């Protein structure tokens, strides 16, 4: 798209309008968006076109529209985090990544649906109703960032931003046939990201191609003085790595397959596509080794102590005192405390309450050492597993998620089954290392997309892009195009053609 | 509700007090602890706020490096160890004036710990062990409108978040034992000493009346000689030196009455009432209070380099005790004069007044005798009275030159406090200068002699002491603007 803009074949206004039209046509069925800002996006597009005709293009993606997950603060645009408690809240400031998007000239189409406060793996926990998987509207689009992934795979947006705390970018990408990246912790500013678990959260790209992700990643990444945990090092070399990988030559690259992320509970079709993807990489010259990460089996338990603990504290601010929902309890003169209670009771969904209770318990005096303290120790052991594994391999591979998209409602009443979706993605968040999910093909059983996850050491995000782009190119050669080319067109009217940003 | 009290002497005969003081100091950094907002006192409500200090969703904190530097300097001045690595922690509890419903503080990793300092009371030195000094952020300030404290209906609360996020250092002592009947004075002396030390460091305005130094007083009693520690109460927001002394005294008497009556002291927070000088029960401080502390994940650890710490140590100002000893020797003050000067918070003011040219005793006299009374009357700190050391020195120079006497000088201070200009301008505008015109003075003396023939006769008979009555008459006629000594000379000359 950027190339078409550069060549003068289209304008940002035309592109943006086309996507707004597509949203009008299919989002009734997909429900990827919580809020569409047609007016704002077209105004930004017009400004972009004006810049372009004045020869003052702001960035490689100037004029290419984008969708933003509703967990990122957008000045003047509602930001609800998929929760009733923030219904109608319009932030007075932009998240740093949003500010960077605006500075780079990307029109913002709107805000995408998500599990409430990013708690979930299916987007069914959104207080505003679920998002539907464009491949099969009866199935989940993954979560928590199902809205962003569905918007991209349904051609409602060429690019999107997501956030990944335990897989919320990568798992939705896998089950919708798109590309999603969780950068190195601290690689992209979290300022303006409404925190789920501060020590795990990262903002990252959701796109149709690996190269698009690399370009977007370079735009949003880099040091931010407003985020103390942001790494003070320039982000770069990602686009170059993606281009290099796309050449399909992986000579000298050592890929490690993680033993612990396979076996029982892993869908056959997902494993079959994974094995083929590894074979393709080996065919391109990569050397494959099997690596063991023995502490990964504890990752899920560790995650479900650290995340609720941090979240329980983060969510305390939603108390009806300053913004968002305010519920008056029965009676004449309720105290502030009673208003807080009534608001939180009405404003938070069950999954959020579940995790607040879990986290509050894990941090309680007398239990802190046993739960939160131990979890932090196991977290260190998981990081050490990664260190040891990265001595044997340059990147580590696994399927992104154990299964393809499951039917809506299938796991809603079984939180533990739901949590298992993130088995393969969680370790990267605990250790702060980067990961990418690229499509590995369609599972034989159900014809639905599966994902290949590529993990790299902290600050070596470029390796994810190199190997990811190689896998994408090699598999596209086998398939004769991108996986998304095969996605259903939904309304039959709009173009189902793969368009690269 | 009236509390039963035991007399202070009886209380001390039966029990040993243990003191603990927690002092919160607002730093005078230009910006807040975790954001760039201004910290000016008294600004319009909620004008010094941003997403971070309002706790808006998504906003993040960034540590103020100047606040860390101030914390380290305070720690060093209190002979503390400085942590090589420490973290902030979240203290979780719900309160409407706390924007995030957690306070970013430090828990088990304070920036400074294991220090000590010394205070003097009635010539005796008490060593105070410092447990820790840690960094945290202030909360907002609630104003409850209406009497019930409920937020609905006719009554409501207003919250000003200007104060939210202002850097605080909390300085906590270890239990202070062995002070006996001096406990109230030791507590007061410690807080006065901290103020002086913090002022010397230049890290805080330490204005107790504006809340930039706030004190919580912990007190417990144990049977005399038992060497144990009793149940403590924590009296919150004791915000003047005098109140610190009174609060300790009150709690000693109250605890003693409870214990001697066979009861047990309830571990609780107590409120201090400045007007009545008593404490009342606040919330019960039970073990159920659980702040669920955990390390603040949005901040990286603070790891001050040893080189930095040492350079800060090298640049510390002279410690208060050494400074006092040096100044006392230079000024020739008695111990009592020195103690009064320090006690009135006038040490730096006197020092600056002397530096501006006044003699030490004169400087002391003005600040302690005259200006301290005025400050006390209006309820402000001496330093906030509105008279500067330079002005005091200027007034004293006029006295030294014979242009003013003490009585006239006091009228100049009236003028200074009323904002009438410089001392010289006030003398001119109010016509206060001493009349040195011998003709006018002579005429007044003649008038006085003529009006008081009996007195004049006594003086002629050698009863010189009677001259006082004539001097008074002359001064009255001259409306005080005469040099009394010169008047006496003239009277004696004329009647000899
Ligand atoms: Zn602020």
């Amino acid at each position: 798209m950027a190339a078409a803009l550069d060549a003068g074949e289209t304008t940002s206004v035309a592109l943006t309008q086309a996507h707004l039209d597509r949203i009008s046509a299919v989002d009734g069925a997909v429900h990827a968006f919580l809020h569409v800002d047609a007016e704002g996006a077209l105004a930004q597009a017009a400004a972009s076109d004006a810049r372009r005709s004045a020869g003052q293009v702001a960035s490689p993606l100037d004029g290419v529209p984008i969708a933003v997950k509703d967990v990122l603060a957008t000045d003047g645009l509602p930001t609800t985090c998929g929760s009733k408690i923030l219904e109608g809240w319009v932030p007075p400031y932009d998240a740093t990544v949003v500010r960077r998007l605006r500075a780079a000239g990307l029109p913002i189409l709107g805000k995408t649906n998500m599990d409430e406060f990013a708690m979930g793996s299916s987007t069914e926990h959104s207080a505003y109703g679920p998002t539907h998987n464009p491949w099969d509207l009866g199935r989940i689009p993954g979560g928590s960032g199902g809205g962003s992934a569905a918007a991209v795979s349904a051609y409602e947006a060429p690019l999107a931003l997501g956030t990944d705390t335990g897989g919320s970018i990568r798992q939705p990408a896998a089950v919708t046939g798109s590309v999603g990246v969780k950068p190195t912790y601290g690689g992209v500013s979290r300022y303006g990201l409404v925190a789920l678990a501060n020590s795990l959260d990262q903002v990252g790209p959701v796109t149709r191609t690996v190269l698009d992700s690399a370009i977007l990643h370079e735009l949003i990444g880099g040091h931010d003085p407003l985020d103390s945990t942001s790494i003070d090092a320039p982000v770069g070399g990602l686009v170059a790595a993606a281009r290099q990988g796309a050449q399909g030559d992986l000579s000298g690259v050592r890929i490690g397959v993680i033993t612990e992320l396979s076996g029982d509970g892993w869908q056959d079709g997902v494993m079959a596509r994974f094995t083929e993807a590894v074979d393709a990489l080996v065919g391109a010259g990569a050397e494959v080794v099997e690596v063991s990460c023995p502490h990964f089996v504890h990752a899920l338990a560790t995650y479900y102590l650290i995340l609720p603990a941090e979240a329980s504290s983060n969510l305390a601010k939603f108390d009806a005192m300053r913004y968002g929902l305010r519920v008056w309890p029965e009676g004449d003169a309720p105290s502030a405390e009673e208003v807080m209670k009534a608001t939180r009771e009405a404003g938070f969904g069950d999954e959020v309450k579940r995790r607040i209770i879990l986290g509050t318990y894990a941090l309680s005096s007398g239990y802190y050492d046993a739960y939160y303290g131990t979890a932090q120790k196991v977290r260190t052991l998981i990081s050490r597993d990664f260190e040891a594994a990265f001595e044997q391999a340059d990147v580590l591979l696994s399927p992104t998620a154990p299964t393809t998209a499951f039917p809506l409602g299938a796991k809603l009443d079984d939180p533990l089954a739901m949590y298992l979706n993130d088995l393969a993605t969680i370790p990267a968040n605990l250790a702060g290392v980067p990961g990418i999910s690229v499509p590995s093909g369609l599972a034989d059983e159900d014809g639905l997309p599966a994902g290949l996850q590529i993990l790299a050491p902290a600050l070596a995000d470029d390796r994810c892009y190199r190997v990811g782009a190689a896998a994408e190119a090699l598999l596209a050669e086998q398939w004769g195009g991108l996986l998304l080319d095969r996605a259903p067109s939904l309304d039959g009217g709009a173009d189902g053609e793969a368009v690269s940003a | 509700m009236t509390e039963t009290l035991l007399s202070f002497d009886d209380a001390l005969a039966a029990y040993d007090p243990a003191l603990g003081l927690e002092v919160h100091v607002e730093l005078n950094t230009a910006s807040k602890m975790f954001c760039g907002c201004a910290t000016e006192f008294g600004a319009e409500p909620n004008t010094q706020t941003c997403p971070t200090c309002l706790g808006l969703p998504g906003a993040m904190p960034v540590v103020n490096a100047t606040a860390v530097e101030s914390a380290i300097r305070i720690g060093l001045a209190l002979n503390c160890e400085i942590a090589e690595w420490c973290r902030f922690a979240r203290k979780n509890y719900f309160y409407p004036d706390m924007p995030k419903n957690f306070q970013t503080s430090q828990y088990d990793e304070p920036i400074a710990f294991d220090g000590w300092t010394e205070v003097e009371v009635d010539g005796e030195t008490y060593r105070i062990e410092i447990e820790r000094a840690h960094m945290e952020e202030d909360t907002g300030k609630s104003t409850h409108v209406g009497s019930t404290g409920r937020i609905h209906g006719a009554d409501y609360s207003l919250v000003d978040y200007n104060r939210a996020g202002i850097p605080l250092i909390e300085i906590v002592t270890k239990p202070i034992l062995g002070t006996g009947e001096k406990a109230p004075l030791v507590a007061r002396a410690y807080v006065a000493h901290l103020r002086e030390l913090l002022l010397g460091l230049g890290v805080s305005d330490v204005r107790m009346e504006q809340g930039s130094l706030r004190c919580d007083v912990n007190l417990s009693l144990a049977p005399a000689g038992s060497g144990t520690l009793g149940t403590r109460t924590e009296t919150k927001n004791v915000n003047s030196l005098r109140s610190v002394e009174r609060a300790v005294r009150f709690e000693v008497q109250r605890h003693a009455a409870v214990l001697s009556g066979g009861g047990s002291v309830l571990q609780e927070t107590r409120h201090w009432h400045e007007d009545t000088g008593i404490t009342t029960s606040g919330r019960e401080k039970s073990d159920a209070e659980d702040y669920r502390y955990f390390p603040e994940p949005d901040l990286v650890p603070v790891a001050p380099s040893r080189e930095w710490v040492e350079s800060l140590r090298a640049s510390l100002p002279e410690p208060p005790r050494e400074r006092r000893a040096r100044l006392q020797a230079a000024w020739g003050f008695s111990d009592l004069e020195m103690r009064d000067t320090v006690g009135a918070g006038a040490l730096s003011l006197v020092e600056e007044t002397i530096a501006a040219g006044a003699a030490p005793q004169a400087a002391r006299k003005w600040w302690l005798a005259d200006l301290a009374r005025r400050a006390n009357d209006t309820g402000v700190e001496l330093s906030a009275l509105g008279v500067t050391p330079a002005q005091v020195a200027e007034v004293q120079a006029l006295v030294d030159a014979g242009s003013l006497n003490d009585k006239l000088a006091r009228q100049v201070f009236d003028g200074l406090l009323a904002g009438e200009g410089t001392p010289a301008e006030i003398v001119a505008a109010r016509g206060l200068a001493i009349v040195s015109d011998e003709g006018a003075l002579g005429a007044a003396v003649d008038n006085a002699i003529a009006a008081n023939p009996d007195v004049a006769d006594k003086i002629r008979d050698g009863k010189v002491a009677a001259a006082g009555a004539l001097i008074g008459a002359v001064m009255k006629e001259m409306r005080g603007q005469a040099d009394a000594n010169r008047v006496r000379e003239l009277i004696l000359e004329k009647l000899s």
Side-chain angles (χ1 to χ4, degrees):
Chain A
M1 281 179 203
L5 287 167
D6 283 340
E9 290 161 13
T10 186
T11 64
S12 178
V13 169
L15 262 184
T16 303
Q17 189 59 57
H19 284 95
L20 290 168
D21 292 346
R22 173 75 177 168
I23 291 168
S24 304
V26 306
D27 207 52
V30 177
H31 194 227
F33 283 87
L34 292 178
H35 182 83
V36 177
D37 183 25
E39 203 181 315
L42 287 170
Q44 293 156 37
S48 169
D49 287 335
R51 272 194 301 278
R52 192 169 295 275
S53 35
Q56 293 166 335
V57 176
S59 78
L61 294 177
D62 196 340
V64 180
I66 189 166
V68 174
K69 190 178 180 183
D70 205 32
V71 74
L72 293 161
T74 40
D75 192 351
L77 275 186
T79 300
T80 68
C81 302
S83 181
K84 283 287 175 202
I85 211 160
L86 271 179
E87 188 160 22
W89 182 58
V90 179
Y93 78 104
D94 272 335
T96 295
V97 288
V98 171
R99 196 160 38 78
R100 288 181 180 173
L101 292 183
R102 293 196 203 271
L106 286 79
I108 294 172
L109 293 166
K111 307 295 290 288
T112 57
N113 198 11
M114 56 187 282
D115 285 297
E116 184 176 4
F117 288 110
M119 296 179 185
S121 309
S122 68
T123 316
E124 292 168 292
H125 293 303
S126 168
Y128 303 98
T131 296
H132 301 260
N133 192 320
W135 289 80
D136 177 347
L137 294 172
R139 290 178 186 258
I140 61 109
S144 67
S148 283
V152 167
S153 59
Y155 294 88
E156 295 175 79
L159 307 165
L161 287 187
T163 61
D164 191 313
T165 307
S168 289
I169 289 174
R170 289 162 288 161
Q171 181 255 7
V175 302
T176 59
S178 45
V179 173
V181 179
K182 182 203 97 71
T184 296
Y185 184 77
V188 178
S189 169
R190 291 187 294 115
Y191 186 80
L193 156 62
V194 181
L196 168 55
N198 322 57
S199 71
L200 302 165
D201 295 342
Q202 264 299 285
V203 182
V206 182
T207 61
R208 285 181 209 131
T209 69
V210 174
L211 181 61
D212 288 350
S213 275
I215 299 170
L216 184 53
H217 188 159
E218 286 192 0
L219 270 188
I220 59 171
H223 183 244
D224 176 14
L226 296 177
D227 174 359
S228 308
T229 64
S230 107
I231 295 166
D232 197 358
V235 56
L238 307 180
V239 173
R243 290 194 199 283
Q244 185 195 6
Q247 307 294 317
D249 180 9
L250 291 178
S251 308
V253 175
R254 298 170 304 161
I255 57 175
V257 174
I258 304 169
T259 318
E260 284 75 10
L261 298 179
S262 63
D264 277 356
W266 295 77
Q267 193 179 319
D268 289 344
V270 170
M271 291 312 297
R273 294 295 87 81
F274 173 67
T275 308
E276 286 168 16
V278 172
D279 290 346
L281 295 175
V282 171
E287 197 186 306
V288 65
V289 290
E290 193 161 308
V291 297
S292 175
C293 294
H295 297 98
F296 278 23
V297 293
H298 304 301
L300 202 63
T302 303
Y303 177 80
Y304 277 102
L305 286 169
I306 291 172
L307 178 143
E310 293 181 8
S312 70
S313 172
N314 291 331
L315 296 175
K317 62 169 67 82
F318 301 102
D319 63 1
M321 292 297 120
R322 291 162 297 277
Y323 43 76
L325 184 71
R326 178 178 288 177
V327 176
W328 293 105
E330 301 282 311
D332 280 352
S335 67
E337 204 170 57
E338 286 158 357
V339 174
M340 287 183 189
K341 271 187 195 161
T343 302
R344 292 167 67 80
E345 166 65 33
F348 286 140
D350 287 347
E351 181 63 20
V352 173
K353 286 177 189 158
R354 178 157 38 233
R355 297 202 198 183
I356 289 175
I357 292 166
L358 267 174
T360 304
Y361 186 73
L363 288 175
S364 309
S365 102
Y367 298 96
Y368 179 92
D369 287 341
Y371 294 121
Y372 193 74
T374 305
Q376 291 295 2
K377 283 180 198 143
V378 177
R379 188 173 185 175
T380 306
L381 295 175
I382 288 168
S383 293
R384 292 208 187 121
D385 277 1
F386 270 117
E387 281 163 28
F390 284 127
E391 279 175 13
Q392 301 170 60
D394 300 310
V395 294
L396 300 178
L397 267 53
S398 76
T400 309
T403 66
T404 54
F406 46 86
L408 286 161
K411 297 185 182 177
L412 203 48
D413 298 324
D414 187 353
L416 292 180
M418 189 74 95
Y419 296 169
L420 285 171
N421 279 289
D422 298 329
L423 209 55
T425 43
I426 280 172
N429 299 81
L430 289 170
V433 303
I436 189 171
S437 178
V438 297
S440 61
L442 303 177
D444 299 325
E445 304 89 341
D446 48 26
L448 292 168
L452 164 70
Q453 175 178 242
I454 302 154
L455 303 173
L459 294 172
D461 303 52
D462 58 326
R463 294 187 199 171
C464 295
Y465 285 106
R466 182 177 173 197
V467 178
E472 178 183 63
L474 295 164
L475 293 172
E477 209 172 292
Q478 293 179 13
W479 304 330
L482 287 178
L483 194 67
L484 272 180
D485 296 356
R486 295 191 251 165
S489 68
L490 297 174
D491 66 347
D495 64 311
E497 218 175 292
V499 185
S500 164
Chain B
M1 187 179 66
T2 30
E3 300 277 358
T4 319
L5 302 181
L6 208 61
S7 86
F8 188 68
D9 289 345
D10 288 349
L12 268 300
Y15 301 101
D16 291 336
L19 279 171
L21 293 153
E22 289 174 22
V23 172
H24 287 87
V25 184
E26 271 187 0
L27 298 180
N28 59 5
T29 50
S31 59
K32 291 186 178 181
M33 187 75 224
F34 300 116
C35 64
C37 289
T39 55
E40 201 186 312
F41 180 81
E44 279 289 299
N46 297 313
T47 54
Q48 295 175 166
T49 57
C50 72
T52 295
C53 58
L54 285 176
L56 292 190
M60 293 178 70
V62 176
V63 175
N64 179 337
T66 310
V68 174
E69 180 177 315
S70 295
I72 294 173
R73 293 180 70 225
I74 291 170
L76 291 172
L78 291 169
N79 303 298
C80 289
E81 304 286 324
I82 304 301
E84 292 192 17
W85 190 91
C86 66
R87 287 178 294 187
F88 284 92
R90 292 186 182 180
K91 181 181 183 179
N92 294 287
Y93 63 101
F94 282 83
Y95 206 76
D97 66 10
M98 260 208 323
K100 299 166 291 181
N101 285 320
F102 62 78
Q103 182 188 28
T104 309
S105 179
Q106 292 194 288
Y107 180 46
D108 49 0
E109 299 166 6
I111 182 99
F113 53 94
D114 288 350
W116 57 269
T117 193
E118 285 178 340
V119 301
E120 231 172 274
V121 171
D122 296 341
E124 207 168 319
T125 302
Y126 293 84
R127 183 180 161 105
I128 313 277
E129 304 283 342
I130 305 295
E131 166 128 2
R132 56 191 279 149
H134 74 245
M135 301 178 278
E136 61 184 32
E137 58 179 338
D138 212 342
T139 59
K141 205 170 182 176
S142 309
T143 310
H144 301 288
V145 181
S147 55
T148 64
R150 313 286 278 184
I151 70 170
H152 189 47
D155 299 318
Y156 56 94
S157 293
L158 300 170
V159 188
D160 177 9
Y161 291 107
N162 282 353
R163 201 180 71 176
I166 292 205
L168 287 182
I169 304 297
E170 181 176 340
I171 303 166
V172 182
T173 67
K174 290 185 179 154
I176 305 166
L177 306 169
T179 56
E181 80 281 2
K182 294 286 167 57
L185 294 175
V186 170
R188 178 185 178 138
Y190 168 71
V191 178
H193 168 74
L194 267 190
R195 274 184 58 201
E196 194 182 347
L197 185 127
L198 295 164
L199 212 52
L201 290 170
V203 295
S204 171
D205 300 336
V206 287
R207 299 241 168 98
M208 292 185 85
E209 77 283 3
Q210 288 183 0
S212 59
L213 189 149
R214 308 197 284 271
C215 187
D216 299 341
V217 175
N218 288 289
L219 186 109
S220 66
L221 293 185
S226 69
T228 58
L229 282 176
T231 304
R232 69 187 170 88
T233 53
E234 181 179 9
T235 304
K236 290 272 188 196
N237 294 317
V238 188
N239 293 336
S240 76
L241 293 178
R242 185 164 160 261
S243 296
V244 169
E245 183 183 335
R246 290 166 77 205
V248 172
R249 219 180 157 81
F250 181 87
E251 279 296 286
V252 165
Q253 293 181 254
R254 193 184 64 82
H255 280 223
V258 171
L259 295 171
S260 65
S264 50
V265 172
L266 189 65
Q267 183 171 340
E268 62 179 350
T269 299
R270 299 197 56 95
H271 298 303
W272 170 247
H273 300 273
E274 182 76 45
D275 46 353
T276 49
I278 65 164
T279 70
T280 55
S281 181
R283 69 204 146 90
E284 196 170 327
K285 209 168 181 165
S286 66
D287 295 335
E289 198 160 19
D290 184 352
Y291 292 122
R292 291 173 282 119
Y293 282 101
F294 72 102
E296 168 56 78
D298 275 343
L299 291 171
V300 289
V302 175
S305 76
R306 295 301 96 179
E307 294 73 34
W308 187 35
V309 170
E310 287 316 310
S311 76
L312 292 175
R313 191 195 304 278
S315 67
L316 284 182
E318 185 182 20
R321 266 164 72 88
E322 276 87 330
R323 174 169 173 240
R324 281 199 300 274
R326 175 175 61 78
L327 293 176
Q328 186 177 354
W331 298 343
F333 281 11
S334 70
D335 287 352
L336 183 65
E337 286 169 344
M338 198 61 192
R339 207 175 305 148
D340 289 347
T341 307
V342 173
L347 193 67
S348 294
L349 297 168
V350 169
E351 185 183 20
E352 287 165 38
T353 307
I354 293 168
Q361 285 298 347
R364 187 187 63 79
K365 181 187 70 183
W366 289 124
W367 284 108
L368 265 68
D370 193 81
L371 298 171
R373 182 183 48 75
R374 295 171 192 254
N376 203 34
D377 289 349
T378 45
V380 298
E381 304 277 327
L382 195 48
S383 58
L385 186 62
V387 175
T388 66
Q391 290 169 334
V392 174
E394 191 180 338
V395 170
Q396 181 57 34
L398 292 169
V399 173
D400 291 341
S403 316
L404 289 177
N405 56 27
D406 285 4
K407 198 170 166 195
L408 293 171
R410 277 190 271 276
Q411 293 183 49
V412 176
F413 288 127
D414 292 341
L416 284 171
L417 289 173
E420 294 171 14
T422 67
E425 286 164 3
I426 294 164
V427 167
R430 291 196 172 200
L432 295 178
I434 283 175
V435 176
S436 48
D437 177 348
E438 291 281 322
L441 213 50
V445 170
D446 290 342
N447 290 345
I449 291 170
N452 299 282
D454 305 352
V455 179
D457 285 344
K458 279 184 192 162
I459 296 169
R460 284 196 190 93
D461 292 345
K463 288 181 185 160
V464 178
L470 291 185
I471 294 169
V474 173
M475 293 303 278
K476 195 173 173 190
E477 184 174 337
M478 297 299 291
R479 284 178 310 167
Q481 285 167 260
D483 178 344
N485 287 330
R486 181 65 193 137
V487 172
R488 165 182 283 273
E489 280 171 23
L490 281 174
I491 291 169
L492 295 182
E493 264 171 41
K494 286 180 192 277
L495 297 178
S496 62

